[in-house]
Structure formats: C-alpha cells, structure tokens
Amino acid sequence: MLKLAALFGDNAVLQRDRAVPVWGWCAPFRRVRATLGDGSAETRSGADGKFLLRFPPMPSAVRLTLQVTELESGETATAQNIALGEVWLASGQSNMEFKVSSLADGGAELRRRADAGELDAVRMLTVPRNALLTPARDVDAAWQTASAATVDDWSAVALFFAKKLADELAVPVGVLASSWGGTIAEAWTSGETLARNPDIARAYSEYLLRTGSTEYWDSLSPEELEIPMRNFETALFTHLPPEPENSGFSAGWAESAYDDSNWDRTALPAQWKEFDLNTNGTVWFRRKVEIPAEWAGRELILTLGAVDKHDITYFDGVEVGRTGSGYDTSCWDVCRVYRIPSELVRPGLRVIAVRDYSFAYDGGLTGPASGMKLAPADAEREKISIAGEWSYKIETDLGPAFPHLSGMGLCCPNSFSILFDNMIRPLVPAALRGVIWYQGESNAIRFHQYERLMRDLIADWRFHFAQGDIPFLQVLLAGYRTAMDYDPNSEWAPIREAQSRAAAATGNLVASAVDAGDAADIHPKDKQTVGERLAAAALMQAYGGKEEGSGPVFRSQTRSGDALLLSFDHAAGGLIAPDGRPHGFWIAGNDRVFKPAEAVIAGVKVAVSSPQVPEPVAVRYGWSDNPRSADLRNSAGLPALPFRTDKFDDGENE
C-alpha cells in the first residue's frame, strides 16, 4: 500500500540547499521514516493515508537512494539514482510544450548530444495532459534522463534552459514540464485566486454551478464520460472518423470562376455554431476581393486571423498555405498568416477560399476582425479587410462530436482553474528554485485583463509552493504575423506590455523572444535563443550572477528641447545598435499621432526626436505584433523590451 508521489521516483532531481518535502500514501495514522543520502526524516500519515516528510537542506549530490519505510508493517518504497541539484517548473502553452522533435533539424543535434553524454546533467519529468473537474492528487509520469530515445518528446525551451544552467552551475538540473497548447492563464490559476479577481469572479461562480448541476452530467454521453478514464488524447479521438477527402477542391470550390451564388452567407469572424452549424467535418468559406491595379505582381500577405481547427487556404485556385493534420491539437484557434506569391497577384476580382476542418467541439474562422486582412508584403498599410460576409458550404458533415464538451467543463483545458488542479496542484509543495513561463498568445484578445491575471497567477503559485517569492520568469511573446515598424492596433504589443508590467510588479525578469519569431508561424523554431535567455535571467535573479540577465527596460523619460531623453534599467555597460543608431522608435505630441523617430544613443540613455513632432510627449518602441526594425540592445547583446511611455489607449497620458 505504501506509495511515493511520482515526483520521487527513480532518476528524480530534488532541490539542493533547501528543505525538501517528500510525500506519498500508506495506511492511515502510520509512522513513516525516510533516508536520502546522509539525511533522514520522519512523520505520521493522516486519516487519508497521506504523509509529508521534510528533509533538511542538503548540498548537490548524485547517485543517491531515497528509501521510505512504513514502520508498523515494515513496507518499503525505494527510488534509485536520485540527484540533488536545481529544480525548475516549466509551464505555459504550445511554445513551452514545443518538442525537441519539432525543431528545424527534427531534434537531430540534441539527440546526438544526448548520445554523446553532453546532456547527462539534465533530467525532465513531463506532466501528461489532464482536464478533470476533480483535482488530481498525483501525476502519471516519471523522471527521464537524457538519451536519443527520450529527448525528442522533451520541451525544447526547457531543455535549452536547463542545459545552460547545468553548464554554468555545474550541478544537475531537473525540469518539471507542465504545459498545454492553446490554453489561457485562467486555466492555470487556482479557483481560490480567480474568485478574488473582479473581472472573473462572477463567471467563475456561474461555471462552478453549471458543472455541478445534475443537468450538466445528465447531458454527457457514455463516450464523453469515458474520456477521463483513459489517456486524454487517445480517448478523446477514439470515436472520431478519419479526416475526410478534399472533395471540394476536385469540385472546383477553390477557383475564382466557380459559381457560389447558391451557397449560404455568414459574417466572419465567427464559430460555426454562431450560424447554426452544430456539427463537425469540413466547411468551405469563399470571399471575393478586388485586387487594385497597383498591387499587380507584388507579393501579398494574407492574414486570416485564428482558425479553429485545421485549414487549407487558396488564392485564385492555388493553395497558398495549410495548417494542421490528423488530430493535431496544437493549432486550434491559432492565427494563420500566408504569403501569396507575386506571380499569382493580378488586378481585378479574385477569390480567397478556406477549407476549414474540425474533428471535435466546433470550427470556424474566429478572428478577431482586425486580424483578417490582405496587404502587400512591402506596404502593410494598404491593407484590405476580409472580415464581413463570406459564402460557405458544408463539404462533409461528420455530425456532432462530444457536443456537451464544447464549453468550459469536463476535459476542456480552457476551463477555469482546471489545469492548476490537474497539472500544478499535484506538484505542490515540491521544492523549486523557480518557474519559467511561456504563455499569452491565447489571452491576446483580452490583453487589458492580462496584467492582473499574471500578477495573480504569480502570487498564486508562490503561495501554494510556500517558498517565498521564488523567481517567475516570463517569455515576452515572439514576433509573429506581418513584420511592421509600428501598428497602433497591435494585439501582441499590449500583451507584451502586460507581461512586462506584471514582471516589474512582482520583482521578476523577463526573457524577450520578440526577435526570435517567425512571421508565418506562431511556433517559431528558434527555441535555443529563448531557453538561453531564460537561463541568463535565472542566473541573475535566482543565483546572483554578475552577468546581465535582461535586455534594457524603459525606466523614465525627460524632455530636452525637441527631444525626449529615455532612461533604461539593465543598460549596464552601455546601449548598442547595429549601426550606432537604434531603430523602431515612434514619437508623438499632444495630438497623439505617432511619427517615425530618429534615435541617438547617449551612454545608457537614448534621445528620440522627429522634425514632424516639435513638442514631443510620448514614445513607443517595438510596438507591433512583429517589430521589424527594433534593434536596441545592451552590451550583453540582449534586446530592449518593447514599451510605450504614454497611456493614450487608457484615456490618459503619463
């Protein structure tokens, strides 16, 4: 009956130099004694059989044995090859979950390094996806050492992060990887904390009442009720048919000349269910666009906004992009950005056609409307909106799949607190050095709420792990969508600002991935830069390292004639730019109209001005989804964090 929690199995890494909680289960009210190297601990199990031991702080060590004995019965549980080193929790959505096997080389280099023994100091435990309505007490997972057979499925960001720490600190580094693509911050926050957030409290209370009602549980089919009893991904898709053949393309539905006058019409963006398509399968959407004569022969950027689930997209009958296949869940409601080659671009009436495939819950082109546009690649401001009326036709009707699981509730990973309860709470109160966090894409359309959400989440996890203000290092979202110098309607610039503000308010550093993105891929493959920048932040914040761990962070501005003089933190050693003059700055006066600015570095400050703005009051830097020219750095080579000095969007000015 004696059982240790999964965190304390063979090959585990436990936190050095800090009291180490170890827990498990046995018969109620039994004395339990444990040894780990030279350390020992003893306790008594509670009425539910759970016991929690605490070893005193111990230095780094390897090849230890953990032995736990229930004294009355003599039953023993043993774990071998235990290491004492550094333990970090890596969490977030798909860019943290992004596997080594998805890197540009398919993970070949890291597999080679693992086989050569270069990754021996790194170990990882990956928490499986789970979304039940009852909090989990343990996770079905095991620690893994690095080998060519294991690293493919590891978080790439977490591995690069841990490898850098292990090299710098010369100790084993263990990562608890707990992520789920496409998830919102509210799912990773405990209910106790959500109930105190005025933006969420009412909806959270209503959610609890709905999922606790007899009507809700009576509505679930036997297949839906079966899902939590097995592997989540396997069970979810067991009853689903294979992806249908693309018969619409054969029928000419992608062609501009095709007559779709008898198709239905709907306004996009929208989910299928918003126009009474309560089904799954494939639906084609078509929209005519008038291509101006001056666009002829120019490459275009087509931004569809988010698509729920998979798509194949055509321009004038030619495929220009596709995302997703099979039962892939990583691209649900992810924005699509496709390039239309210049040779396809002719003036006149052309057609964009999208084949949207959904195998569970719902489908649709879900926007937002501001993110649905067509523009020349070299002149984004000439954009044409493609939101509004589209024609649509069902290609294949597969019927509803798990219709009652389409909203928050059982097995929906974006339910309030569900991932905290299933994928974080079972890890509490493990001894950690800190947390690395890569998330925010799924909260971008509600960026006004995100700073509060992240401040709450950070305080929440610090409270539950009960080790003080442990570092919580966020990744500023990578550049994505069309590269632009400035975009006043950007969604990702304000979400980055919210990340930065939450970090400052909670005493944390961030690692910028803004310059490590990919305009056409929300999952950029440069995870080494991200992981190593997180490690640089950790070395400075968690370990007191002397090397700079952050890019320049805007601190304050002062007026100097017709220029604004900006001061920065984390500018030790001076500021630099490739040609000595940084780019990506925009400046405005009291009219709040931002103009391109000239910037000059003056030691650890930057002077920003424009002849078009003789009396400046505000500056913005790197303010777009994918800042094209922002290139300010510090002497450590770390990029400046995007920022604004105004509060114009909030109805005021600083």
Side-chain angles (χ1 to χ4, degrees), residues 565-579:
L565 195 60
L566 309 182
S567 298
F568 294 84
D569 294 321
H570 299 284
L575 300 171
I576 61 174
D579 61 1

Side-chain angles (χ1 to χ4, degrees), residues 185-186 188-201 204 417 420 425 452-464:
E186 296 93 323
W188 294 99
T189 307
S190 75
E192 297 92 325
T193 293
L194 292 177
R196 298 196 299 272
N197 186 325
D199 294 329
I200 296 169
Y204 174 61
S417 76
F420 179 86
R425 196 181 292 273
R452 169 66 189 263
L453 282 171
M454 282 310 304
R455 291 175 66 167
D456 282 356
L457 190 151
I458 293 167
D460 188 34
W461 288 23
R462 284 172 166 175
F463 170 79
H464 280 91

Side-chain angles (χ1 to χ4, degrees), residues 23-38:
W23 64 90
W25 298 267
C26 66
F29 307 120
R30 299 293 177 87
R31 285 179 64 186
V32 179
R33 183 176 297 162
T35 58
L36 176 64
D38 295 331

